[in-house]
Amino acid sequence: NAGVTQTPKFRILKIGQSMTLQCTQDMNHNYMYWYRQDPGMGLKLIYYSVGAGITDKGEVPNGYNVSRSTTEDFPLRLELAAPSQTSVYFCASSYSPSGGVYEQFFGPGTRLTVL
Amino acid sequence: GQNIDQPTEMTATEGAIVQINCTYQTSGFNGLFWYQQHAGEAPTFLSYNVLDGLEEKGRFSSFLSRSKGYSYLLLKELQMKDSASYLCAVLDSNYQLIWGAGTKLIIKP
């Protein structure tokens, strides 16, 4: 199993550009998440999904969009990139049956700089 | 508001024991996680506590007191590879993880 994979690993964007961060998991997990991590700060939840076709906003969703058409994929779209979106982005997944709590597995991250 | 507090940085000596504390105030509680994150890498799961008490897993132990809103991670027989950030995260009433900023642990020979 590859686990959670993310592409690209690094990206530099100009202000106003758009891009999609890709995330794929092969563990058949129902829950998937997108976080951003700024230096010296905790992880902040951007969006999450409890299953294919269902997405919901997290703590910091502005400027981002997601979709979940399959169990495996959960892409994050940045529209009109701004310097405030410079961060490390982590995708994570977990298996969360009703009544159970399981750990989240993280991808290697995408380091995004907006200039 | 929701808040998780951890020390920013700690230093310890190889072979010693270190305790990393975490205090939390969250809307609801469905458990507390500890993750390890090496520089430039993704967080990896260490432990999960939902009941009061101590959970031991090899050199690492995690303690929880729900009444005090307090947890600690205890690392024994420290090794150089334990140099990393340690993240405390609480699962709130909506089953979302609220993350602390992490404690950077520096191990000296």
Side-chain angles (χ1 to χ4, degrees), chain B residues 68-99:
Chain B
K68 296 182 179 178
Y70 167 70
S71 173
Y72 67 73
L73 181 69
L74 191 71
L75 290 73
K76 303 176 184 176
E77 301 169 16
L78 286 169
Q79 301 175 9
M80 297 304 292
K81 67 178 182 179
D82 297 330
S83 291
S85 288
Y86 291 86
L87 312 178
C88 173
V90 171
L91 203 60
D92 72 6
S93 56
N94 294 319
Y95 284 88
Q96 289 191 14
L97 275 177
I98 309 300
W99 295 81

Side-chain angles (χ1 to χ4, degrees), chain B residues 4-63:
Chain B
I4 296 183
D5 286 317
Q6 307 178 231
T8 302
E9 187 174 295
M10 299 182 70
T11 302
T13 305
E14 191 176 15
I17 299 173
V18 71
Q19 177 176 309
I20 302 173
N21 296 325
C22 171
T23 57
Y24 62 89
Q25 289 178 308
T26 56
S27 57
F29 180 86
N30 283 298
L32 185 145
F33 288 83
W34 284 96
Y35 278 77
Q36 181 189 59
Q37 186 177 25
H38 285 101
E41 298 183 8
T44 55
F45 170 77
L46 288 177
S47 68
Y48 170 69
N49 294 67
V50 66
L51 300 176
D52 286 354
L54 187 68
E55 296 271 348
E56 298 187 75
K57 193 185 292 185
R59 294 189 299 114
F60 292 10
S61 303
S62 55
F63 171 83

Side-chain angles (χ1 to χ4, degrees), chain A residues 4-115:
Chain A
V4 181
T5 57
Q6 292 182 237
T7 57
K9 285 187 169 54
F10 302 93
R11 184 72 185 268
I12 298 175
L13 281 182
K14 293 183 179 178
I15 294 171
Q17 287 186 319
S18 300
M19 76 165 294
T20 299
L21 281 66
Q22 301 291 345
C23 176
T24 300
Q25 55 93 8
D26 63 0
M27 297 175 282
N28 202 31
H29 286 171
N30 51 341
Y31 276 57
M32 294 187 75
Y33 314 83
W34 273 106
Y35 293 96
R36 59 177 288 172
Q37 186 177 35
D38 299 328
M41 305 289 284
L43 292 156
K44 301 290 185 185
L45 182 65
I46 304 171
Y47 271 95
Y48 68 100
S49 168
V50 302
I54 306 169
T55 62
D56 211 344
K57 296 178 180 179
E59 185 181 357
V60 290
N62 291 345
Y64 307 94
N65 274 300
V66 294
S67 60
R68 184 97 182 269
S69 57
T70 66
T71 299
E72 296 78 19
D73 300 307
F74 191 41
L76 177 73
R77 177 83 177 160
L78 277 73
E79 304 284 359
L80 298 174
S84 61
Q85 293 179 304
T86 294
S87 190
V88 180
Y89 291 83
F90 287 104
C91 178
S93 71
S94 67
Y95 172 63
S96 301
S98 57
V101 175
Y102 293 83
E103 72 268 26
Q104 294 181 16
F105 294 82
F106 284 79
T110 294
R111 282 146 187 81
L112 176 67
T113 302
V114 182
L115 299 174

